[in-house]
């Protein structure tokens, strides 16, 4: 994968809004094949973890105990936004992605030397997929959008 495309994705993450502008984020860029293989073993053996050019690991660095008035943990919202911005920019760059959320967090933290106070929230496999890889169709707008009521 071209470094300028990866840089564009990382810049989108850097510019992601966060609650209180905390910028409570660390992205670990994993390129090492052996390390990706080890992470794959902690990610329900999802092959795209190992096959991707790059694996982005999204970590919340602090204030992981903060609960917003709506009852949601703030870091989950922040990391969801950061992951989404990365996915959108990757698409803009012509890259394929796969969100990885099925993994053993403690094991991934150990492998990547993530501090105990931080949380690993998501990972994104990033690169160029096989031309014949299946794509799910998206729902129609009417199936996901409503106005004024559910």
């Amino acid at each position: 994968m071209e470094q300028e495309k990866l840089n564009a994705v990382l810049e989108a993450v850097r510019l992601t809004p966060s609650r209180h502008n905390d910028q409570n984020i660390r992205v670990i860029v994993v390129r090492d094949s052996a390390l990706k293989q080890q992470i794959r073993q902690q990610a329900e053996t999802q092959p795209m973890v190992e096959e991707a050019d790059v694996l982005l690991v999204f970590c919340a660095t602090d204030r992981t105990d903060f609960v917003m008035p709506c009852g949601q943990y703030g870091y989950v919202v922040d990391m969801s936004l950061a992951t989404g911005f990365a996915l959108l920019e990757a698409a803009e760059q012509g890259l394929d992605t796969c969100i990885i959320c099925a993994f053993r967090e403690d094991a991934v933290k150990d492998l990547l030397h993530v501090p105990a106070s931080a949380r690993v929230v998501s990972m994104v496999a990033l690169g160029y997929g096989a031309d014949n890889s299946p794509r799910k169709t998206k729902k129609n707008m009417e199936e996901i959008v409503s106005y004024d009521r559910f």
Side-chain angles (χ1 to χ4, degrees), residues 50-100:
E50 192 175 350
E51 295 166 357
D53 295 335
V54 168
L55 183 67
L56 302 179
V57 180
F58 289 82
C59 304
T61 56
D62 57 17
R63 295 193 65 202
T64 58
D65 59 345
F66 176 75
V67 177
M68 300 181 301
C70 64
Q72 302 295 327
Y73 282 99
Y75 78 91
V76 174
V77 173
D78 289 346
M79 294 305 101
S80 297
L81 286 168
T83 302
F85 274 50
L87 295 169
L88 288 170
E89 185 58 37
E92 182 69 20
Q93 295 296 323
L95 299 169
D96 292 319
T97 59
C98 184
I99 303 171
I100 312 295

Side-chain angles (χ1 to χ4, degrees), residues 124-139:
V124 172
L126 186 63
Y128 296 102
D131 290 338
N132 62 351
S133 57
R135 304 280 191 240
K136 284 191 174 181
T137 57
K138 298 293 183 179
K139 292 181 178 181

